[in-house]
Amino acid sequence: MVKKIALEEHALCPSLAEYWHPTVADVPAVVRDRLLDALTDFGDRRLASMDRAGIAKSVIGIAGPGVQVETDTARAIAKAKASNDFLATEVAKQPSRYAGFAHLPLQDAAAAADELQRCVEQLGFRGAMVNGHTLGRYLDDPAYAPFWERAAALNTWIYLHPADPVATMPSLAGTYGLKRATWEWGVETGTHALRLVFGGVFDRHPGARLMLGHLGETLPYLLWRLDSRAQLYGVTLPQPPSFYIKRNIAVTTSGMCSAEPLACALAALGNDRVCFASDHPFEDAGEACHFLDAVALPEEVRVAVASGNAATLLGLA
């Protein structure tokens, strides 16, 4: 069992439960209660789960959607700040085991930039976790230029986590189980990331850094085609899309216990751009850790994915 640093580990502070409950309204009550219990635990049970799986440190982010669905901007700003203070207090109780991702009020780009800076510089957080679009606005919107400028200046990571799209694609309607985590979230989040690439955000802000779960939401598999179609359709970026994906994006293993996509991500992005995540409590941390311990990899690559890359990219011990 190799030491692991896990980068997509979820929690919930009491003041944000009102935003989370509607997202699990269709989940059986017994499952919903179990998830809520795990999300709100920062003590012995979370630590014991980490110990069993071989996770030395968890970087904890607020479970979505959080304040990103709040229509009152002032309330979103206040509640984001309070949730970050709450998380910082819990992290401070176990500084050798926990670190934090900021929760941001992206209704206001300047306020989000200020809160990101406060969380990184004053609270010691390792970046931010953003739960998809904010009230239908994606991160390539020109209004977010000050946010990306600040994130780049701070040399910190923005972890883009899935969220429900503004509207379900007609092709996903029906009873086939394709919505949300099966397929819909991957399409939504991969598209969000590509908006940043094709919209020139990483060209204008070369120091901006984005992290994606699920081994990159299929993007590593598509690099050649993205470059080919960008050229065909006259995309005017100075570099092909794959250049920005390789330079500005790193990925984690959250929710992907499969050798083939892991091999693709490592080959496409490099051994130094893939990190471990268990997606606690929405996935089984034990399964995620056993997979990484058992999958056929050179041992130095296994160690890099398990903890070395996170230590380097996020400054974690």
Side-chain angles (χ1 to χ4, degrees), residues 8 10 64 129-133 159-163 185 189 211-212 214 217 279 282:
E8 189 187 318
H10 300 280
M129 181 170 285
V130 173
N131 297 297
H133 63 86
Y159 198 119
L160 184 60
H161 187 267
W185 283 347
T189 311
M211 194 166 283
L212 297 173
H214 314 110
E217 312 291 3
D279 203 3
F282 303 111

Side-chain angles (χ1 to χ4, degrees), residues 16-315:
L16 298 184
E18 65 180 286
Y19 304 118
W20 182 76
H21 281 296
T23 71
V24 291
D26 57 347
V27 174
V30 63
V31 176
R32 184 168 63 247
D33 292 345
R34 175 179 58 81
L35 289 173
L36 182 61
D37 187 51
L39 286 167
T40 53
D41 172 60
F42 293 87
D44 291 343
R45 284 179 290 119
R46 185 184 288 263
L47 291 168
S49 174
M50 291 168 58
D51 290 341
R52 287 193 298 271
I55 297 174
K57 177 166 280 191
S58 290
V59 183
I60 300 172
I62 297 296
V67 301
Q68 288 181 247
V69 296
E70 174 59 60
T71 57
D72 184 316
T73 298
R75 189 166 189 258
I77 292 170
K79 289 177 77 70
K81 183 177 186 298
S83 72
N84 289 324
D85 290 341
F86 175 90
L87 180 57
T89 298
E90 295 298 332
V91 169
K93 295 175 185 177
Q94 296 286 344
S96 67
R97 305 301 305 275
Y98 299 155
F101 276 136
H103 187 57
L104 300 178
L106 285 154
Q107 292 84 344
D108 183 318
D114 289 344
E115 183 62 8
L116 175 63
Q117 183 168 355
R118 184 183 80 92
C119 287
V120 170
E121 294 185 345
Q122 297 181 28
L123 303 184
F125 286 2
R126 302 300 168 160
M129 181 170 285
V130 173
N131 297 297
H133 63 86
T134 301
L135 300 176
R137 188 166 64 169
Y138 292 85
L139 288 170
D140 63 309
D141 191 296
Y144 286 124
F147 170 75
W148 284 114
E149 182 178 357
R150 192 81 59 87
L154 291 166
N155 196 34
T156 199
W157 289 89
I158 305 301
Y159 198 119
L160 184 60
H161 187 267
D164 289 337
V166 176
T168 297
M169 295 169 56
S171 60
L172 297 183
T175 59
Y176 298 107
L178 294 174
K179 292 180 64 177
R180 310 197 96 182
T182 305
W183 180 246
E184 182 179 35
W185 283 347
V187 174
E188 170 75 5
T189 311
T191 302
H192 194 160
L194 287 178
R195 288 177 68 111
L196 298 173
V197 174
F198 279 68
V201 171
F202 297 135
D203 186 58
R204 294 188 294 275
H205 306 283
R209 303 198 290 177
L210 187 77
M211 194 166 283
L212 297 173
H214 314 110
L215 288 172
E217 312 291 3
T218 75
L219 299 192
Y221 186 80
L222 297 169
L223 296 186
W224 181 90
R225 186 160 181 83
L226 293 172
D227 290 350
S228 171
R229 298 308 94 170
Q231 184 178 35
L232 176 67
Y233 293 122
V235 175
T236 57
L237 292 169
Q239 300 289 342
S242 64
F243 171 87
Y244 303 101
I245 293 171
K246 292 178 181 181
R247 186 188 68 181
N248 296 87
I249 295 178
V251 304
T252 75
T253 64
S254 65
M256 291 291 279
C257 299
S258 179
E260 294 83 0
L262 176 60
C264 177
L266 290 166
L269 304 180
N271 294 341
D272 59 345
R273 306 297 277 189
V274 180
C275 304
F276 175 77
S278 81
D279 203 3
H280 173 85
F282 303 111
E283 299 283 352
D284 185 333
E287 181 182 8
C289 291
H290 174 73
F291 162 71
L292 186 57
D293 288 332
V295 68
L297 286 174
E299 198 59 25
E300 65 273 16
V301 176
R302 189 189 323 279
V303 171
V305 172
S307 63
N309 293 338
T312 300
L313 296 176
L314 280 77

